[in-house]
Amino acid sequence: GAVVSQHPSRVICKSGTSVKIECRSLDFQATTMFWYRQFPKQSLMLMATSNEGSKATYEQGVEKDKFLINHASLTLSTLTVTSAHPEDSSFYICSAELAGAGDTQYFGPGTRLTVL
Amino acid sequence: AQSVSQHNHHVILSEAASLELGCNYSYGGTVNLFWYVQYPGQHLQLLLKYFSGDPLVKGIKGFEAEFIKSKFSFNLRKPSVQWSDTAEYFCAVNARGAAGNKLTFGGGTRVLVKP
């Protein structure tokens, strides 16, 4: 149980385009999902907290207009990187919080974004 | 703000050796503590967690961790490692009551187990 999927697993795009990444909780409902960014050989950095039915909460230094988050249902959150640039290339990971399990987060497999 | 530090960035050891990874956090309140593992090419998986009760927590794959409140530590241990334990290990802390239940991760420790 507690499986989280992400799609796509890998995406290459041209500079200036927008990319949407989906995060789904497959076997449980998640009112809260999280989006992280992981640079090579570094730890995960929280970008934003995604709450179902309300606006996301962004961490300091994360541009909310650049990283659009939508949490339309209890099993789906999306991250859209708008007008992507090479410096946005990174590994984006989502997690979903399993309610009633002590706020344990379960992580998706990540999405490797490469912006040319 | 809470912070998490993992003392070792890289650990190399042989099979059957014992492993201990240090994790210290800074936060004055009550915390939930986690260890996650990331095997090569795979996503983060939960190894174990501590919320309350017995400070010695047993997780999957023979791992355990001990919460020492006075030392703000949550060290991970395994008595005898296997080659398959080669992975990166992350300690994470969730300050209870903090808005959004955010996890703060340590920098990670890369463990290489030589056959």
Side-chain angles (χ1 to χ4, degrees), chain B residues 24-85:
Chain B
N24 284 89
Y25 67 93
S26 64
Y27 182 71
T30 306
V31 294
N32 294 337
L33 299 156
F34 305 83
W35 275 98
Y36 286 89
V37 60
Q38 190 172 31
Y39 296 103
Q42 296 188 29
H43 63 283
L44 278 168
Q45 298 175 38
L46 181 67
L47 265 182
L48 48 78
K49 58 187 178 183
Y50 172 80
F51 297 143
S52 63
D54 188 346
L56 184 60
V57 180
K58 294 192 182 300
I60 61 172
K61 305 186 180 186
F63 285 90
E64 63 179 30
E66 185 175 12
F67 170 51
I68 302 179
K69 188 175 181 180
S70 60
K71 295 185 178 180
F72 297 89
S73 70
F74 190 55
N75 293 354
L76 181 72
R77 298 193 291 254
K78 184 168 183 177
S80 177
V81 296
Q82 300 172 313
W83 175 79
S84 58
D85 292 322

Side-chain angles (χ1 to χ4, degrees), chain A residues 32 34 36 38 40-44 46 49 59 91 93 97 101-110, chain B residues 6 32 34 36 38 42-46 49 51 88 90 94 96 100-103 105-108 110:
Chain A
T32 305
F34 302 85
Y36 295 85
Q38 187 179 28
K41 299 184 179 181
Q42 293 189 29
S43 188
L44 282 77
L46 179 65
T49 302
E59 294 301 298
F91 197 52
I93 304 172
E97 187 175 87
D103 305 326
T104 301
Q105 292 183 29
Y106 292 89
F107 286 82
Chain B
Q6 292 180 238
N32 294 337
F34 305 83
Y36 286 89
Q38 190 172 31
Q42 296 188 29
H43 63 283
L44 278 168
Q45 298 175 38
L46 181 67
K49 58 187 178 183
F51 297 143
E88 186 156 19
F90 294 94
N94 175 350
R96 289 192 209 167
N101 289 325
K102 297 186 292 186
L103 273 183
F105 281 85
R110 287 182 179 269

